[in-house]
Amino acid sequence: MTDMDGAAQRRSAVRVVPPARPRKLAKVPFVELADGRLQGVVSSGSDIERVYVSSVASGTHAYHCSTNNNRPCGGLRGTPCKHLHALADEAVLQYGVDRVARYLRVEAGDEVQTGGQLMSRLDARHEPTSAAVVFSRFLRHLAYLELPGSSTPAPELHWFPATGAGR
């Protein structure tokens, strides 16, 4: 086995971690630590039909927020908007403050308990990014929620290895 094969195997058998605390999905239905970013979908506070795709890059802390069709959020005025703060708050609920801080590569002392407090520690700047990939992942996530309950594997997920982790 080559180093590349070993690396692929390590990445393909990711353990599912339960949420740090339960969270409500109405405001932030989708949040993930992926592709080097904290990213997700945040519901609009004013229009039930509108959602925003928000993200913060790991390390650089570049942030962006736009509608799913790439219209910039009106709240981006030199600082992260309310959608980014809501995303960070829900990420802390989902993953825990320590894991989110490590992922974003930011120092979070013992006094940091919320996503908003974590956001205040970022050396952040605005940098536009496309919403398409994150929104597409969200739509895929919704499609799985619509599948009927079953104990058999979904055909499109057959490549996940059986690890016995659920036993």
Side-chain angles (χ1 to χ4, degrees):
M1 172 176 5
T2 66
D3 285 339
M4 288 298 286
D5 292 336
Q9 283 184 344
R10 283 190 300 276
R11 282 192 306 267
S12 67
V14 175
R15 184 172 53 102
V16 176
V17 179
R21 288 181 297 215
R23 65 184 196 89
K24 295 179 181 174
L25 303 177
K27 183 66 178 164
V28 183
F30 184 68
V31 61
E32 65 179 354
L33 301 172
D35 302 329
R37 297 184 298 187
L38 162 59
Q39 56 192 15
V41 173
V42 180
S43 299
S44 168
S46 59
D47 184 350
I48 196 164
E49 305 253 333
R50 183 178 300 141
V51 295
Y52 288 86
V53 176
S54 304
S55 66
V56 179
S58 176
T60 66
H61 305 148
Y63 60 85
H64 187 63
C65 184
S66 66
T67 62
N68 58 305
N69 53 5
N70 288 325
R71 292 190 178 138
C73 172
L76 290 176
R77 293 187 176 93
T79 60
C81 63
K82 67 180 180 178
H83 306 110
L84 285 156
H85 282 269
L87 178 70
D89 283 338
E90 293 299 314
V92 165
L93 287 176
Q94 179 73 30
Y95 299 107
V97 71
D98 292 334
R99 184 170 177 196
V100 176
R102 270 193 319 273
Y103 191 84
L104 292 176
R105 291 187 234 146
V106 63
E107 288 294 325
D110 293 337
E111 66 279 358
V112 174
Q113 300 295 316
T114 69
Q117 292 169 336
L118 195 59
M119 291 291 289
S120 70
R121 302 264 176 141
L122 300 179
D123 182 23
R125 70 184 191 310
H126 179 246
E127 185 177 294
T129 57
S130 175
V133 172
V134 177
F135 193 69
S136 176
R137 289 165 76 130
F138 169 61
L139 292 177
R140 170 68 75 184
H141 176 75
L142 288 179
Y144 287 123
L145 294 176
E146 293 176 356
L147 292 176
S150 172
S151 60
T152 60
E156 62 271 22
L157 298 177
H158 75 280
W159 51 270
F160 280 114
T163 61
R167 296 178 201 169

